[in-house]
Amino acid sequence: MLPLATLWQIARRDLATRIRGLRLLAVCLFLGVATLAAIGSLTRGITSELEVRGQTILGGDVEFSLPQREATAEEMAGFRRVGTPSATVRLRAMANDPDGEALLSELKAVDGVYPLYGTMRLDSGARRGPPPPGGIWIGKDLVSRLGLKVGERVKFGEKSFLIDGVIAEEPDRLGEGFTLGPVAIIGLADLPATQLIQPGSLYESKYRVRLPESANPEAVGKALTAEFPDAGWDITDSSNGAPGTRRFIERMGQFLSLVGLAALVIAGIGVGNGVASYLAGKRPGLATLKVLGADSGTVARIYGLQILAVAAVSIALGLIVGALAPAIIGAIAGDVLPVKPGVAIYPLPLAVSAAYGLLIAIAFALPPLAATRHVPAAGLYRATVSGAARVDRQTVIAVAAALAAIIALAVGTAREPLFALGFIGAAIGLLLILVGLGWLVRRTASRLPRPKRPLFRLALANLHRPGAATGALVVALGLGLTLFVTLAAIQTSITAEIQSTVPQRAPSFFVLDVPRTETRRFQTMVAGADPKAEINMIPALRGSVTEFAGQRVDELAELPEGAWVLRGDRGLTYSPVLPNGSELVGGQWWAADYKGRPLVSVEQEVATSLGLKIGDTLSVNVLGVEVQAKVASFRTVNWDNFGLNYVLVFSPGTFDAAPHNMVATVAVGPEAEAALSRSIPRAFPSASLIAVRDVVSQVTTLLTQMSQAIAAAASIAILAGIAVLIGAIAASRERRVYDSVILKLLGATRGQILGAQGMEYAVLAGILAVLALGLGLAGAWYVVTQLFEFDFAPDPLIVGMTLLGGAGLSFLIGIAGSWPLLSAKPAQALRSL
């Protein structure tokens, strides 16, 4: 065995003479590794920033959130005993300008020590504490949409405020969660004058506590919960100040990482094709080394070092791009992200991406490399005619081990291993289907009758002759076309959901906090504006689930999968009849005049996640009072019609003793909509009017951003698929040169040669278009219905045009790859064989 230094010297000199053949290997690995590293680094960058800024995002070391009530004197004393508390109250309210225009806003009242962490910044500079008495700070959207400016007045409820500044940065904005309007901040002492908080009003009190450095936030939360077991508060600590944002980023990161991994696996096929093409071009050198006495192992090590060197450089460049991606994306699209990722290097996602790249290179480069070990020098010289050599058992084991390591790495690093395993299984299934189809096409072509016309006979022979690249072309074309269809179906389904389905079914307004005593007056006002108005009013309360089926929520080490209803407080209601948009799927609904022990109807998916059965108990804490109800029924709910429905619906009389108001949906014509947007806020100062078009706009923006992220990741996979197609063409180029030269010598024209190859690609593209349509729609259905939970409604025209365009592009790439063969000179080509 030659020393490694000698092997590298031979490999480097040979590589320096012709590195062009490994460009496909370099491009495929670079694309895949860069995509994975970028997605992983961006996800880690955002979650790290959430961790680092946890205290600022939350507004304290620990937060106690109370729905529809403020803390008692005893609870406040408990907060002061463990640290420095800061109180805020947050509610939705209508901002009214002097001209009578109104806009839904998030009104936030803060105390004298706000903020405990971070800095409140206005356009005029940093501030601490609340605005001056009678003053207010407003968000920039409120300024632009109502045309307000500093020094003017804006009214909330029954109080008019002087605008003291425009908010530039609210330190705990992300921790406040989803909002439906621009923020406005007042002093806590000014809140009573607005008269917005009445018995039953929907608002939230938050008490952030700054703890001593030695204190453990989680332990403090548990201790105070034990001291006040009936408080009913929701506790969050600074280690996860924005849990919803964190979960969303991690889940989208995992999904995009799996898409990136699929792109890398697709690129791996290109790696295999590229290596096969490169080694085919090195055939004389391989034979020469063997004639001079080099054994098969030495030859394999020399060319293995070349492949490894190019792979290492490609992986390194991909890691550099991936490491820089968070900073670049943050600079370009910083407003789209929940927080700008920090400028740092995140070793773990880079190490995982590098491992993927190396394993892919090994798995797909080994078979063509190992094949040269078992071919004698004479066989190498006539390899163009005799075909490829067999791959030994050791190579098969090594490739299988590399693929197993890839699967283990993907599942082991996934947030949801079963989802990752299913995704990988689907990808492997797709590859196996395409490989099987390639075999079937070759076998079928070999058994068909030979056409009488020479051009058709030649095209048919190209599909099954020895050394034909049919299998590689089927995989390459199939992957590319399937990805085209999948992406088109996803995009058009999302577009149909947010542009067609929602606007047709949605009401004009949601109205919150309509006093129960004013229900009839409210209905009369709406009917006066539009006699055909559709009004739906139900009671509305807030409460948190404290017990289900005998299990206390605060005693659970970990929440059950999908049990989001246990996180924080939830909307509650009661009804004598089955709500609109609900369908009973288990149990029985109570009588309209039911009077007895509290009963509850639970949404089916939530009931499944909690493991509930008919007859189990479920308890909720409302305003510090725990109410236990018996599970009477399960329901499915149609959530996409923007109607009023709740996960938990209780029987009449359950919350009679609790103060609460009504919420309503109102569907009216355009003219009445404009009139009511002015009259309702004036007639009901405590009510909040939510225009559904604003909700649709926010949802549309969010979903568009998600679909764009999927499209970006899928585009990398499409580029990898195109690279695979180019690699498949390149891998068979020398064999096609041989065929082209022989045909020319026999009298074939350039048009006939090109026509035969064009027919070959057209037949493959036509067969694969049908398969890609089915596979692509199946993949898109899973993403749309399972990830987004939308109706699957792809646009047939756009999907069909995309498929046709993809097939046409694949055909043109095949023809373009065949064009250089026509200029091959017979004498020169025959001398090189």
Side-chain angles (χ1 to χ4, degrees):
M1 182 185 296
L2 292 176
L4 182 61
T6 304
L7 292 174
W8 171 242
Q9 187 177 16
I10 298 172
R12 181 176 54 80
R13 288 179 178 177
D14 185 58
L15 191 62
T17 60
R18 191 188 175 192
I19 194 174
R20 185 179 65 181
L22 289 176
R23 285 185 301 186
L24 184 63
L25 164 71
V27 169
C28 287
L29 281 179
F30 170 77
L31 281 174
V33 172
T35 302
L36 276 175
I39 293 171
S41 295
L42 181 63
T43 302
R44 183 57 187 154
I46 294 176
T47 55
S48 295
E49 193 68 11
L50 292 175
E51 292 171 1
V52 171
R53 294 174 50 192
Q55 292 171 319
T56 302
I57 291 172
L58 185 66
D61 293 300
V62 62
E63 174 189 272
F64 300 85
S65 176
L66 290 166
Q68 292 183 273
R69 76 176 184 91
E70 297 181 56
T72 64
E74 292 78 11
E75 291 167 344
M76 284 300 300
F79 299 152
R80 295 190 184 97
R81 192 166 57 249
V82 297
T84 303
S86 173
T88 64
V89 173
R90 180 168 168 257
L91 68 157
R92 294 182 178 92
M94 303 301 294
N96 298 270
D97 70 4
D99 297 327
E101 293 291 333
L103 180 67
L104 180 69
S105 302
E106 294 281 337
L107 185 63
K108 180 176 176 178
V110 302
D111 64 6
V113 295
Y114 174 85
L116 293 174
Y117 290 98
T119 303
M120 181 73 200
R121 296 187 183 278
L122 307 179
D123 284 347
S124 58
R127 297 291 184 92
R128 183 162 294 279
I136 190 172
W137 299 330
I138 60 175
K140 293 181 179 180
D141 286 346
L142 202 56
V143 172
S144 61
R145 295 178 66 177
L146 289 183
L148 300 171
K149 59 185 178 181
V150 176
E152 294 184 343
R153 304 192 77 86
V154 62
K155 187 178 181 181
F156 280 88
E158 300 294 338
K159 183 170 178 59
S160 176
F161 293 91
L162 180 68
I163 300 174
D164 183 62
V166 177
I167 300 169
E169 179 182 348
E170 183 186 1
D172 55 344
R173 177 69 203 86
L174 189 60
E176 296 286 11
F178 181 77
T179 61
L180 288 172
V183 69
I185 298 178
I186 63 174
L188 200 57
D190 283 332
L191 183 59
T194 65
Q195 298 185 29
L196 291 173
I197 295 183
Q198 302 293 333
S201 297
L202 296 176
Y203 67 97
E204 186 176 32
S205 301
K206 293 185 176 182
Y207 298 89
R208 286 79 175 261
V209 183
R210 182 167 188 157
L211 303 175
E213 292 185 4
S214 59
N216 183 313
E218 185 178 357
V220 168
K222 289 182 178 180
L224 286 176
T225 299
E227 184 177 353
F228 303 99
D230 297 326
W233 51 43
D234 182 38
I235 301 176
T236 308
D237 63 61
S238 56
S239 64
N240 194 12
T245 301
R246 186 187 183 95
R247 286 193 300 272
F248 174 78
I249 292 297
E250 288 178 345
R251 287 179 177 174
M252 277 301 296
Q254 176 186 328
F255 176 75
L256 294 178
S257 293
L258 290 172
V259 173
L261 178 58
L264 187 55
V265 172
I266 294 169
I269 302 172
V271 168
N273 290 334
V275 171
S277 176
Y278 176 71
L279 293 176
K282 290 293 186 179
R283 190 173 57 255
L286 287 165
T288 301
L289 286 171
K290 287 195 173 184
V291 168
L292 293 176
D295 59 17
S296 297
T298 299
V299 173
R301 281 188 286 273
I302 289 172
Y303 287 95
L305 285 173
Q306 293 181 354
I307 295 168
L308 186 61
V310 174
V313 172
S314 303
I315 291 171
L317 291 176
L319 294 178
I320 291 172
V321 172
L324 296 176
I328 297 172
I329 295 174
I332 296 174
D335 293 340
V336 175
L337 302 174
V339 295
K340 286 189 176 182
V343 180
I345 302 297
Y346 303 101
L348 182 58
L350 297 181
V352 171
S353 302
Y356 277 132
L358 184 60
L359 290 170
I360 289 290
I362 292 173
F364 289 92
L366 265 183
L369 181 63
T372 63
R373 300 181 59 181
H374 305 285
V375 181
L380 285 169
Y381 278 120
R382 63 173 181 266
T384 301
V385 179
S386 62
R390 66 182 177 86
V391 178
D392 59 25
R393 182 180 178 183
Q394 291 180 344
T395 302
V396 173
I397 294 174
V399 171
L403 293 176
I406 292 171
I407 295 173
L409 186 61
V411 174
T413 58
R415 188 177 187 272
E416 298 177 8
L418 290 178
F419 176 78
L421 193 60
F423 189 98
I424 293 171
I428 294 174
L430 173 60
L431 290 177
L432 291 177
I433 289 173
L434 292 175
V435 170
L437 181 62
W439 174 86
L440 183 62
V441 168
R442 290 191 61 169
R443 185 173 180 83
T444 303
S446 68
R447 292 174 177 265
L448 288 175
R450 294 184 179 181
K452 293 182 179 181
R453 297 187 62 178
L455 193 63
F456 293 159
R457 185 185 306 173
L458 183 59
L460 183 63
N462 280 343
L463 293 174
H464 67 84
R465 59 181 171 75
T470 303
L473 288 173
V474 165
V475 172
L477 283 169
L479 288 172
L481 294 178
T482 299
L483 288 169
F484 277 124
V485 172
T486 302
L487 187 59
I490 290 174
Q491 296 280 32
T492 55
S493 290
I494 293 176
T495 300
E497 184 75 22
I498 61 183
Q499 291 187 353
S500 300
T501 305
V502 171
Q504 289 175 358
R505 301 177 185 175
S508 305
F509 300 111
F510 290 112
V511 187
L512 311 180
D513 280 334
V514 179
R516 276 194 293 174
T517 56
E518 301 286 344
T519 300
R520 187 173 298 277
R521 186 165 71 94
F522 176 84
Q523 293 172 331
T524 301
M525 174 179 287
V526 173
D530 185 351
K532 298 181 179 180
E534 296 180 8
I535 308 170
N536 182 24
M537 300 189 73
I538 64 172
L541 303 92
R542 302 289 293 183
S544 57
V545 178
T546 56
E547 173 266 338
F548 63 97
Q551 301 178 74
R552 300 295 302 182
V553 174
D554 55 7
E555 296 176 356
L556 295 176
E558 185 177 354
L559 296 183
E561 182 66 28
W564 53 267
V565 74
L566 303 181
R567 297 189 182 101
D569 60 291
R570 297 292 160 195
L572 309 173
T573 191
Y574 57 88
S575 175
V577 297
L578 187 67
N580 293 332
S582 292
E583 181 180 351
L584 209 63
V585 294
Q588 293 183 340
W589 196 261
W590 44 78
D593 58 351
Y594 175 80
K595 295 179 180 179
R597 177 186 177 183
L599 303 176
V600 62
S601 177
V602 186
E603 194 271 337
Q604 175 66 46
E605 291 185 6
V606 170
T608 301
S609 67
L610 297 181
L612 290 174
K613 302 184 297 296
I614 301 296
D616 284 344
T617 60
L618 184 142
S619 301
V620 292
N621 186 299
V622 177
L623 298 175
V625 178
E626 186 166 306
V627 178
Q628 186 181 74
K630 177 183 175 182
V631 176
S633 64
F634 301 136
R635 324 176 329 276
T636 58
V637 179
N638 179 18
W639 297 108
D640 64 357
N641 63 359
F642 274 54
L644 288 177
N645 231 312
Y646 284 75
V647 170
L648 303 177
V649 179
F650 290 81
S651 57
T654 302
F655 302 115
D656 281 350
H660 58 275
N661 290 326
M662 308 292 287
V663 298
T665 59
V666 176
V668 294
E671 294 183 2
E673 185 175 319
L676 290 173
S677 65
R678 286 173 168 264
S679 60
I680 289 179
R682 287 198 296 265
F684 302 92
S686 64
S688 299
L689 194 71
I690 303 175
V692 171
R693 62 176 177 270
D694 293 338
V695 180
V696 172
S697 176
Q698 290 197 42
V699 172
T700 300
T701 300
L702 176 61
L703 295 179
T704 300
Q705 292 167 359
M706 292 173 66
S707 64
Q708 288 173 348
I710 293 173
S715 298
I716 300 297
I718 290 174
L719 289 176
I722 293 174
V724 169
L725 178 59
I726 295 172
I729 295 170
S732 63
R733 178 170 297 169
E734 294 204 13
R735 193 178 305 279
R736 289 183 182 274
V737 168
Y738 175 84
D739 294 342
S740 176
V741 166
I742 297 300
L743 290 171
K744 281 184 178 180
L745 292 175
L746 294 175
T749 65
R750 291 188 175 189
Q752 288 174 325
I753 296 172
L754 192 63
Q757 295 192 11
M759 290 178 63
E760 176 188 353
Y761 290 124
V763 168
L764 289 178
I767 294 172
L768 290 167
V770 177
L771 179 67
L773 183 62
L775 294 175
L777 289 176
W781 173 87
Y782 181 82
V783 173
V784 171
T785 61
Q786 303 303 310
L787 181 66
F788 292 103
E789 297 183 355
F790 289 163
D791 292 334
F792 185 56
D795 187 313
L797 178 61
I798 294 179
V799 171
M801 293 296 293
T802 301
L803 180 60
L804 183 63
L809 176 62
S810 301
F811 175 80
L812 292 176
I813 291 174
I815 294 299
S818 301
W819 191 264
L821 305 180
L822 303 180
S823 60
K825 297 179 179 179
Q828 181 180 355
L830 290 173
R831 282 197 302 268
S832 65
L833 294 175

